Amino acid sequence: MTEPRPLDALPRDRRDLTGPFDVIGDVHGCAGELITLLGELGYHLDRDEHGRAVGATHPAARTAVFVGDLVDRGPDTPGVLRLVMGMVAARTALCVTGNHDDKLVRALDGRNVRIAHGLERSLAQLAEEDAEFRGTVRAFLHALPSHYLLDGGRLVVAHAGLPESLHGSTSGRARSFALYGSPTGDYDEYGFPIRYDWARDYRGAATVAYGHTPVTELTWVNNTLCLDTGAVFGGALSALRYPEMSTLSVPAEQVWSERAGITPTG
């Protein structure tokens, strides 16, 4: 079995990479929507002998950047991982870890985690894959950084966002915030945690692209943009083109998982 690398093994400071980038929101196992979005963005898919998407390249040498939460809830977590892992290996994509990715790898490590919120679907789907693939997934997820600094520090990508004071930080606080945000301890009407609205107070020069908390529309808040438009809940899968600062969304193929407060686009 492939041995996992340490957490945050990949360098988070990649200010040397200047793009252009296509930052992609939470995929959550929606392989079909991801393939459609990459096509709309101009990427050409690479497929293996079984016809599975195992990579993608852009004729203009653009790089996809995934905000994390590749897994859980959706219909094809292995398909998403196979494609994204191939892109990262070919250096046509970067990816940060999300809280669902982090929980999945802890489950694959045999640690005691609560099997809920779609994790059961990922584990069942991965059980259909061979041990070599599961080992590769485990190593890949272990190696994902908590966030990226890109383009001279002008672009920051973190799953749940990141205040300016934590940009580039290696601290546990920075990692926790990047994965989960900062819960207030309160809950909304649907029973989901209410998190500190860091974007409302953000005044940093860097653009911060993130996901984690599904929104019904893409809205800029103080140079930050949440790209989780709830694809797995019947919303859309969205991307930010950088440095153009334009956005592109493709509708979900169907409602793959129910969540109160999210209205399907179809």
Side-chain angles (χ1 to χ4, degrees):
M1 178 181 292
T2 304
E3 287 301 314
R5 288 169 285 182
L7 289 173
D8 278 353
L10 297 178
R12 62 181 60 75
D13 188 345
R14 293 308 310 268
R15 284 177 283 189
D16 58 302
L17 300 179
T18 58
F21 301 109
D22 298 303
V23 189
I24 297 175
D26 303 39
V27 182
H28 276 304
C30 296
E33 289 87 344
L34 176 56
I35 287 170
T36 299
L37 179 61
L38 288 172
E40 291 289 328
L41 289 167
Y43 288 79
H44 298 161
L45 285 179
D46 301 317
R47 296 185 181 272
D48 65 12
E49 64 274 16
H50 304 291
R52 300 175 300 193
V54 294
T57 56
H58 198 284
R62 299 182 70 90
T63 300
V65 187
F66 293 90
V67 306
D69 276 6
L70 301 175
V71 308
D72 293 354
R73 295 190 172 119
D76 191 6
T77 281
V80 170
L81 288 167
R82 187 175 286 110
L83 174 53
V84 175
M85 290 191 303
M87 293 179 71
V88 171
R91 299 185 180 180
T92 62
L94 300 168
C95 184
V96 299
T97 192
N99 58 301
H100 282 262
D101 309 313
D102 181 66
K103 191 175 182 181
L104 173 59
V105 78
R106 287 186 284 124
L108 293 175
D109 285 346
R111 296 174 63 180
N112 185 24
V113 299
R114 184 183 174 209
I115 309 300
H117 304 298
L119 176 58
E120 67 282 355
R121 298 191 72 177
S122 291
L123 292 174
Q125 292 163 12
L126 287 169
E128 299 297 317
E129 303 290 333
D130 60 33
E132 181 180 3
F133 181 78
R134 290 194 299 272
T136 302
V137 166
R138 185 166 160 256
F140 172 76
L141 295 179
H142 265 296
L144 294 179
S146 60
H147 65 285
Y148 271 118
L149 273 65
L150 302 167
D151 190 25
R154 287 179 284 271
L155 174 64
V156 174
V157 178
H159 176 62
L162 204 63
E164 185 178 29
S165 62
L166 297 177
H167 292 180
S169 173
T170 61
S171 69
R173 179 168 178 260
R175 179 179 173 79
S176 177
F177 199 110
L179 265 68
Y180 303 102
S182 181
T184 64
D186 296 324
Y187 295 84
D188 65 17
E189 60 184 305
Y190 303 110
F192 295 103
I194 296 174
R195 297 177 177 87
Y196 160 62
D197 188 2
W198 66 275
R200 179 192 61 194
D201 298 325
Y202 183 74
R203 297 295 183 271
T207 297
V208 182
Y210 64 105
H212 188 52
T213 301
V215 295
T216 55
E217 60 183 27
L218 297 171
T219 304
W220 284 97
V221 179
N222 295 330
N223 206 22
T224 78
L225 184 64
C226 179
L227 289 164
D228 183 1
T229 43
V232 77
F233 302 118
L237 186 61
S238 297
L240 166 68
R241 289 187 176 109
Y242 177 96
E244 298 88 347
M245 297 302 192
S246 62
T247 58
L248 177 66
S249 300
V250 298
E253 294 178 357
Q254 67 177 70
V255 178
W256 300 107
S257 182
E258 299 284 349
R259 176 175 173 173
I262 298 296
T263 303
T265 58

